[in-house]
Amino acid sequence: MPVQADPSQSREQHVAELKAIYVPQYDSQYSRLMAIKTKAFTVTSLKKSFNTVMDDFLDVQRTVYSAWADPLADADAAASYSDEEIGEFEISITYLERQVAKVATITCIKGKVTKKITDISPKCPSGYVKKK
């Protein structure tokens, strides 16, 4: 819930209060995204999902920060937008974290050839057998 502007407060003071609330939330979500990036990039479908979420996240963050920097922009509207988007990112990031937790690597053997397969539910290619 955005902080309501006090009429006696300057815009700069109000924006500083909003930043104190929202910047740590954005930082926390960004940290969570960075923590899963490496593992998400090992699976093509997760890489696409991760990139979509990250692009959207950075776009929203840029929009909100720009609104707070613009003296003519509505700071409270940017805060309301932040509330909405932070909630949506929470869902998306939690989903990605759960999917990344399911990623596994198996070793498959065919004669003397071995292959490592990494996926959410990895399966050996045709003709290969899972190493025990």
Side-chain angles (χ1 to χ4, degrees):
M1 186 68 123
V3 176
Q4 293 301 315
D6 179 355
S8 65
Q9 188 179 47
S10 72
R11 183 182 190 284
E12 291 79 20
Q13 291 169 324
H14 183 57
V15 168
E17 283 182 4
L18 293 173
K19 284 181 178 179
I21 295 167
Y22 294 104
V23 170
Q25 292 179 49
Y26 281 119
D27 289 347
S28 170
Q29 289 186 333
Y30 183 79
S31 295
R32 289 172 60 199
L33 283 166
M34 290 296 95
I36 62 175
K37 180 179 180 179
T38 303
K39 203 160 184 185
F41 273 42
T42 61
V43 179
T44 304
S45 61
L46 286 180
K47 181 178 179 180
K48 290 177 185 175
S49 296
F50 177 87
N51 284 335
T52 300
V53 172
M54 182 57 97
D55 289 346
D56 190 29
F57 178 85
L58 294 174
D59 185 48
V60 166
Q61 191 179 39
R62 223 179 350 264
T63 300
V64 170
Y65 288 8
S66 293
W68 287 336
D70 181 354
L72 302 176
D74 184 352
D76 288 326
S80 293
Y81 182 55
S82 286
D83 279 334
E84 178 185 334
E85 293 297 321
I86 286 171
E88 289 176 15
F89 289 129
E90 184 63 34
I91 293 166
S92 298
I93 294 168
T94 300
Y95 171 78
L96 284 172
E97 287 170 335
R98 287 181 182 157
Q99 292 302 312
V100 164
K102 294 178 186 178
V103 171
T105 300
I106 61 171
T107 302
C108 301
I109 301 172
K110 181 180 182 180
K112 292 184 178 184
V113 179
T114 62
K115 282 188 175 185
K116 289 193 181 265
I117 308 297
T118 302
D119 206 337
I120 292 174
S121 53
K123 296 176 183 70
C124 289
S126 180
Y128 284 77
V129 178
K130 183 177 174 183
K131 183 177 179 181
K132 304 216 186 247

